[in-house]
Amino acid sequence: MSITATDLYEDGPAAGAKAKILLIHFDGAIDAGGAGRMAIGQMLRSLHNERVATFDADTLMDYRSHRPIVTVEDWVSSPDMVMPQTVLDLVEDDMGNPILVLHGAEPDSHWESFTEAINDICERAGVEITFSLHGVPSGVPHTRPTPVHVPATDASLLPTSGPKITNHMQFPAPLSTFVQIRMGQRGIGGLALLGAVPYYMADTGYPAASSALLTSLAKFADLSLPVGDLEQGAAQDQESIEKLVEGSPEISHTVSALEEHFDAWNGGDGAIPLPGMGQSATTRGEEKGAKDIGDVIEAYLAQVSRAKEEETQSIQRAPRVDGQQPAAKPDTLEDVLARLEARRNGRNPGPSAPRHRA
């Protein structure tokens, strides 16, 4: 049975809407620090939006890679499973400018047919340009502004200033890139906004990159977009990370090395290397140091999260009976750093906190 583009989606209340911009982000694609995901989430929370189309998950998804979420209460499974979903929404910025936002789970199959459906909708909507949002692991420190790289489907769209990717790259394409290239072949150009995320923060939510992505999108597309919550989150993250760095001279030295590396590149032609996209930006020692920082930060954030949860639940706990061992206290920062030092020296570091992921 052949699949046509119109078989892949159902129209929503805003079907037929007009917009000059298509913004794309799929969960599960290239997105270090959850940068693109948080940027899209910020837009949907803060701006008026309506559904344009909902795509057929049963046709597009492999449920083994996008498993439905089941809730069980009192040992009874709820029939209301959370299914993977890919949707197209109409979002209006603070000035009322319309944007088509394609987001949700990244489809596993029928990419050509899916892209044909998107292209048909965009042609009817009057779309003139596409943008995609990504976070990319990079050799940058958290103490510097987040660079945003901007590759394009056509050289005429490239910005004349700002950081540039100077190296040849090949990488497995996410669907967002696939869609932009196919639409570019039909005359609708595209820009990919790549927020450079410190690679020791790649597995942790990094709102500074999300804020940088929205700021860049607003500049390139002449939009008014909300970044306040992301900037606040970035400031809080910065404070937490600084406390960690101050507690370890060795980690502080590694961050200083990354700062020197960043400043040397940025002081030249503005190109910041992206090791996560095919180029090594650091020496072996720097890579090891950055991994150590990531381990400590993730462990510390997990400790903070766990401590807050235990504090919240403590008032509901029954009194401790005689002879029962008291609950273990959350590790201190010193405990986490001690385990890191033990691992460096080849000793058994003992139990560690679960790794924190955004």
Side-chain angles (χ1 to χ4, degrees), residues 274-298:
L274 299 177
M277 301 286 282
Q279 179 184 9
S280 176
T282 61
T283 64
R284 185 179 301 273
E286 287 173 339
E287 289 175 351
K288 181 179 183 299
K291 182 180 184 299
D292 290 339
I293 297 173
D295 289 343
V296 174
I297 289 173
E298 290 190 14

Side-chain angles (χ1 to χ4, degrees), residues 120-136:
D120 289 348
I121 294 173
C122 287
E123 284 186 347
R124 293 195 299 270
V127 168
E128 298 176 358
I129 191 168
T130 68
F131 292 89
S132 62
L133 304 180
H134 307 271
V136 181

Side-chain angles (χ1 to χ4, degrees), residues 53-74:
T54 300
F55 292 87
D56 183 9
D58 205 47
T59 300
L60 296 172
M61 302 294 175
D62 179 348
Y63 290 144
R64 293 171 298 179
S65 62
H66 297 91
R67 296 183 183 274
I69 304 301
V70 177
T71 300
V72 178
E73 292 186 2
D74 297 326

Side-chain angles (χ1 to χ4, degrees), residues 51 92 121 243:
R51 185 61 39 85
E92 295 180 353
I121 294 173
K243 289 180 180 178

Side-chain angles (χ1 to χ4, degrees), residues 14-91:
K18 302 295 183 181
K20 294 183 178 181
I21 298 168
L22 172 67
L23 177 63
I24 309 171
H25 176 77
F26 296 113
D27 298 335
I30 297 173
D31 197 29
R37 172 179 54 81
M38 289 192 293
I40 294 294
Q42 173 75 0
M43 291 179 64
L44 295 176
R45 284 192 305 271
S46 305
L47 300 172
H48 174 73
N49 59 86
E50 291 184 273
R51 185 61 39 85
V52 174
T54 300
F55 292 87
D56 183 9
D58 205 47
T59 300
L60 296 172
M61 302 294 175
D62 179 348
Y63 290 144
R64 293 171 298 179
S65 62
H66 297 91
R67 296 183 183 274
I69 304 301
V70 177
T71 300
V72 178
E73 292 186 2
D74 297 326
W75 297 105
V76 177
S77 300
S78 169
D80 300 323
M81 292 186 291
V82 179
M83 304 297 292
Q85 194 175 48
T86 305
V87 299
L88 181 67
D89 287 335
L90 176 69
V91 178

Side-chain angles (χ1 to χ4, degrees), residues 81-293:
M81 292 186 291
V82 179
M83 304 297 292
Q85 194 175 48
T86 305
V87 299
L88 181 67
D89 287 335
L90 176 69
V91 178
E92 295 180 353
D93 76 349
D94 287 331
M95 302 301 293
N97 297 309
I99 314 158
L100 290 179
V101 180
L102 179 61
H103 64 101
E106 182 182 48
D108 295 289
S109 60
H110 301 292
W111 280 20
E112 293 285 8
S113 298
F114 176 80
T115 301
E116 186 70 23
I118 296 300
N119 192 78
D120 289 348
I121 294 173
C122 287
E123 284 186 347
R124 293 195 299 270
V127 168
E128 298 176 358
I129 191 168
T130 68
F131 292 89
S132 62
L133 304 180
H134 307 271
V136 181
S138 184
V140 297
H142 65 278
T143 53
R144 295 293 186 267
T146 300
V148 177
H149 301 264
V150 190
T153 58
D154 188 276
S156 65
L157 297 174
L158 291 173
T160 57
S161 62
K164 294 182 176 62
I165 302 173
T166 59
N167 55 304
H168 170 78
M169 296 188 302
Q170 282 188 317
F171 56 92
L175 179 54
S176 54
T177 301
F178 184 91
V179 170
Q180 287 188 290
I181 290 175
R182 284 287 186 258
M183 293 185 69
Q185 292 171 336
R186 299 180 66 162
I188 301 177
L191 295 170
L193 305 183
L194 311 179
V197 175
Y199 44 83
Y200 51 85
M201 297 296 293
D203 290 334
T204 301
Y206 193 64
S210 302
S211 176
L213 288 177
L214 284 186
T215 300
S216 294
L217 175 62
K219 180 184 71 173
F220 283 115
D222 193 22
L223 298 171
S224 178
L225 300 174
V227 296
D229 292 345
L230 294 173
E231 290 179 343
Q232 181 180 2
Q236 293 171 347
D237 278 2
Q238 186 80 4
E239 183 178 348
S240 298
I241 297 171
E242 286 302 322
K243 289 180 180 178
L244 285 171
V245 173
E246 291 173 2
S248 172
E250 188 166 349
I251 292 178
S252 179
H253 174 75
T254 301
V255 172
S256 296
L258 289 173
E259 290 173 339
E260 292 177 6
H261 178 78
F262 178 95
D263 294 340
W265 279 88
N266 202 42
D269 59 4
I272 310 298
L274 299 177
M277 301 286 282
Q279 179 184 9
S280 176
T282 61
T283 64
R284 185 179 301 273
E286 287 173 339
E287 289 175 351
K288 181 179 183 299
K291 182 180 184 299
D292 290 339
I293 297 173

